[in-house]
């Protein structure tokens, strides 16, 4: 919004109006404003929710041994995050950008889906919330919309790289002069690291490109669903999901920036994606919202984000990765989310498998995996056997677990970024 206003002012040579051309200025402004909004609005939100007695009445001590300090803490704090992302984005972004519009739609849609879940839990006194099948359908619909939009929109294009061999084994990387639709995506640790989805359908002849787009839409749905659920599972300790997501957001912001800058894209031998610079504005607002939310969500939490925040956070990460053609790097970048989801899948599948044989056997003491580190052997179900009982040998405070998961995500984010040069 402000971008177009100051573009108009530029005609009259008003000092400072030219600064709105610079993505660095608009991105940092969005970051600062999102921090201010989350700090100011967060306090107002917490006071309002407590006044209306919209709080968690109790915590399950078998899951959260540190939950005694968290009674009467407001939930649905994801509303703080949504407001802190959307206002700076609307003010500093170029709203005619298809990528920015997709990110806004993702934020609103999954935020609404999570809000319904939290509303049912709090106001309908149903701790199960929205049925999982409805969440899944909502995530699939979003993935389908994003995939089809990137397929159909004439603005969703890239400039592919041209690698020219030089003397002494050196190469020169340039980009095609014309933008075009592409099914290529980046894969880590591989020289000339682009994978074309249509290659899987070479046997289909002239229909291989259409089949490749169908595969792309399916993968988009899987990415959005998997990362959204992974973030939701990661939201189990104070500050855990917000901190991890802020770190992941920094890495995605870097990917968006270098992909939008033709010189950096040539240096790194990656696809040049015109228009992806607006994702930097969005991701800076996202990072600011996450950090600002931590002001109130760090242990002991004054507010919980609830599904309003966690479902949306994962969706934003997944959609951004798809737009910048880095979705195959998510298992590394979102390694914590991946392990959290995998631990739940393994625990559930193995328990059901052994139960059919009349045995109650679990792998971990508790899942998602972060709960395994704060649960003691004495709190375990005495009717079940645990394969990894005794690991770890002592209970960790959740603040220590949270910080160590942050450190792990920092390492994974750094590794993901350097994969652009490690081939």
């Amino acid at each position: 919004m402000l971008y177009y206003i100051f573009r108009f002012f530029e005609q009259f040579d008003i000092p400072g109006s030219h600064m709105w051309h610079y993505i660095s200025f608009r991105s940092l402004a969005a970051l600062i404003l999102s921090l201010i909004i989350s700090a100011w609005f967060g306090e107002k939100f917490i006071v309002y929710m407590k006044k209306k007695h919209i709080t968690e009445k109790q915590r399950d001590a078998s899951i959260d041994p540190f939950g005694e300090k968290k009674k009467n803490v407001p939930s649905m704090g994801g509303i703080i995050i949504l407001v802190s992302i959307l206002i700076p984005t609307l003010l500093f972004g170029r709203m005619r950008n298809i990528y920015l519009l997709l990110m806004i739609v993702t934020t609103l849609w999954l935020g609404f889906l999570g809000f319904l879940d939290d509303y049912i839990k709090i106001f309908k006194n149903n701790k199960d919330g929205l049925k999982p099948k409805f969440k899944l359908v909502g995530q699939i619909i979003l993935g389908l919309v994003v995939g089809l939009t990137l397929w159909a929109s004439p603005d969703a294009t890239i400039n592919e790289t041209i690698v020219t061999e030089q003397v002494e084994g050196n190469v020169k990387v340039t980009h095609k002069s014309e933008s075009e639709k592409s099914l290529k995506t980046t894969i880590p640790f591989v020289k000339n690291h682009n994978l074309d989805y249509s290659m899987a359908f070479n046997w289909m002849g002239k229909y291989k490109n259409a089949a490749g787009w169908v595969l792309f839409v399916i993968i988009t749905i899987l990415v959005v669903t998997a990362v959204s659920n992974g973030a939701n599972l990661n939201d189990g300790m104070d500050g855990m999901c917000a901190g991890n997501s802020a770190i992941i957001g920094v890495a995605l912001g870097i990917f968006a920036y270098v992909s939008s800058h033709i010189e950096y894209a040539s240096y790194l031998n990656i696809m040049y994606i015109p228009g992806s610079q607006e994702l930097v504005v969005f991701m800076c607002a996202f990072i600011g919202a996450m950090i600002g939310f931590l002001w109130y969500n760090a242990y002991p939490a004054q507010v919980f984000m609830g599904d309003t925040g966690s479902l949306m956070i994962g969706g934003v990460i997944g959609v951004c990765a798809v737009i910048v053609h880095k979705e195959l790097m998510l298992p590394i970048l979102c390694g914590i989310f991946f392990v959290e989801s995998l631990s739940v899948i393994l625990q559930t599948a193995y328990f059901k498998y052994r139960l059919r044989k009349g045995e109650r056997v679990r792998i971990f003491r508790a899942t998602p995996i972060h709960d395994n580190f704060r649960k003691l052997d004495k709190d375990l179900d005495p009717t079940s056997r645990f394969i990894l009982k005794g690991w770890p040998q002592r209970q960790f405070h959740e603040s220590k677990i949270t910080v160590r998961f942050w450190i792990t995500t920092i390492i994974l984010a750094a590794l993901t970024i350097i994969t652009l040069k490690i081939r």
Side-chain angles (χ1 to χ4, degrees):
M1 185 185 301
L2 291 178
Y3 171 82
Y4 298 105
I5 293 174
F6 280 92
R7 281 290 302 273
F8 174 76
F9 287 164
E10 195 174 358
Q11 302 177 56
F12 306 101
D13 295 325
I14 295 177
S17 57
H18 69 283
M19 294 179 63
W20 293 81
H21 284 286
Y22 297 104
I23 195 67
S24 55
F25 169 75
R26 291 191 287 122
S27 299
L28 291 175
L31 174 66
I32 294 169
L33 182 59
S34 64
L35 279 167
I36 294 172
I37 291 173
S38 57
W40 175 81
F41 177 65
E43 183 179 5
K44 302 294 182 184
F45 179 84
I46 292 169
V47 171
Y48 175 82
M49 296 291 276
K50 285 186 174 181
K51 184 178 179 180
K52 296 295 182 180
H53 303 289
I54 308 173
T55 60
E56 292 210 10
K57 304 302 180 184
Q58 60 182 2
R59 304 284 285 183
D60 188 345
S62 65
I63 297 176
D64 187 356
F66 308 104
E68 189 63 31
K69 295 182 179 181
K70 304 177 189 178
K71 292 180 180 178
N72 300 318
V73 173
S75 188
M76 302 174 78
I79 294 174
I80 301 171
I81 299 173
L82 262 71
V83 172
S84 302
I85 290 174
L86 292 175
I87 292 178
T89 300
L90 294 173
L91 288 176
F92 298 110
R94 295 176 60 184
M95 300 311 299
R96 295 178 183 175
N97 183 279
I98 185 62
Y99 303 135
L100 193 61
L101 292 175
L102 282 175
M103 299 305 292
I104 292 172
V105 168
T106 299
T107 303
L108 290 172
W109 176 249
L110 289 181
F112 173 72
L113 197 68
F115 176 82
L116 287 180
D117 183 75
D118 290 336
Y119 182 87
I120 293 171
K121 288 177 181 176
I122 296 172
F123 294 98
K124 301 298 182 181
N125 199 27
N126 181 350
K127 66 178 183 178
D128 295 325
L130 191 65
K131 291 183 179 180
K133 64 180 180 181
F134 292 128
K135 290 184 185 179
L136 183 61
V137 169
Q139 292 164 334
I140 290 174
I141 290 173
L142 176 66
L144 184 64
V145 169
V146 172
L148 291 176
T149 301
L150 294 175
W151 179 357
S153 173
D155 296 326
T157 58
I158 71 165
N159 292 45
E160 293 190 23
T161 56
I162 302 174
V163 180
T164 306
E165 293 287 345
Q166 302 291 308
V167 295
E168 299 180 357
N170 295 321
V171 297
K172 179 181 179 181
V173 179
T174 57
H175 288 86
K176 294 181 178 179
S177 58
E178 294 184 0
S179 298
E180 56 188 30
K181 307 293 289 185
S182 177
L183 282 166
K184 290 186 176 180
T185 189
T186 302
I187 52 176
F189 306 115
V190 177
K191 189 175 182 180
N192 298 325
H193 54 316
N194 288 336
L195 172 70
D196 193 325
Y197 289 127
S198 65
M199 290 175 58
F201 303 97
N202 285 335
W203 52 276
M204 296 185 68
K206 64 180 181 179
Y207 299 108
K208 74 170 188 176
N209 198 55
W213 279 108
V214 172
L215 177 60
F216 169 78
V217 172
I218 293 172
I219 289 176
T220 300
I221 292 171
L222 292 175
V223 167
V224 171
T225 303
V227 183
S228 181
N229 287 326
N232 187 233
L233 291 171
N234 187 236
D235 180 32
M237 292 184 179
D238 297 350
M240 173 77 82
C241 186
N244 286 325
S245 300
I247 297 163
I248 293 169
V250 171
L252 288 174
I254 292 172
F255 284 143
Y257 182 72
V258 297
S259 297
S260 69
H261 197 293
I262 195 164
E263 292 183 2
Y264 291 149
S266 297
Y267 172 71
L268 295 170
N269 189 9
I270 60 175
M271 292 169 277
Y272 168 56
I273 309 174
S276 62
Q277 67 273 11
E278 296 305 313
L279 291 176
V280 183
V281 176
F282 183 92
M283 293 313 298
C284 280
F286 177 84
I287 295 163
M290 293 299 105
I291 296 172
F293 185 73
L294 277 174
W295 185 270
Y296 301 106
N297 187 238
Y299 181 87
Q302 296 170 259
V303 63
F304 301 128
M305 70 168 62
D307 282 18
T308 307
S310 60
L311 284 177
M312 176 273 296
I313 286 170
V316 163
I317 290 171
V319 172
C320 184
V322 168
I323 290 174
V324 296
H325 298 259
K326 301 293 183 290
E327 64 272 16
L328 297 186
M329 291 186 171
L330 285 178
I332 303 174
L333 179 59
C334 299
I336 288 294
F337 294 169
F338 176 74
V339 171
E340 296 270 42
S341 299
L342 184 62
S343 68
V344 172
I345 293 170
L346 289 175
Q347 183 89 320
T348 304
Y350 189 74
F351 180 75
K352 289 182 177 180
Y353 167 74
R354 295 299 293 264
L355 194 62
R356 287 198 293 268
K357 297 184 176 182
E359 302 173 305
R360 295 176 60 85
V361 184
R362 293 180 169 89
I363 300 174
F364 306 101
R365 290 190 291 203
T367 55
I369 193 66
H370 61 254
D371 283 330
N372 186 72
F373 296 100
R374 66 176 175 184
K375 197 163 187 177
L376 295 171
D377 287 344
K378 66 181 181 65
D379 298 323
L380 300 179
D381 178 8
T383 65
S384 298
R385 182 166 65 87
F386 297 83
I387 294 177
L388 295 180
K389 184 178 181 180
W391 176 78
Q393 295 182 353
R394 65 185 180 90
Q395 182 185 49
F396 290 92
H397 194 281
E398 71 171 68
S399 59
K400 182 178 286 291
I401 299 170
T402 296
V403 171
R404 289 185 174 179
F405 273 50
W406 289 353
I407 294 170
T408 302
T409 301
I410 291 172
I411 295 170
L412 293 174
L415 178 62
T416 306
I417 293 170
I418 64 174
T419 57
L420 296 177
K421 294 300 293 181
I422 300 177
R423 306 168 195 169

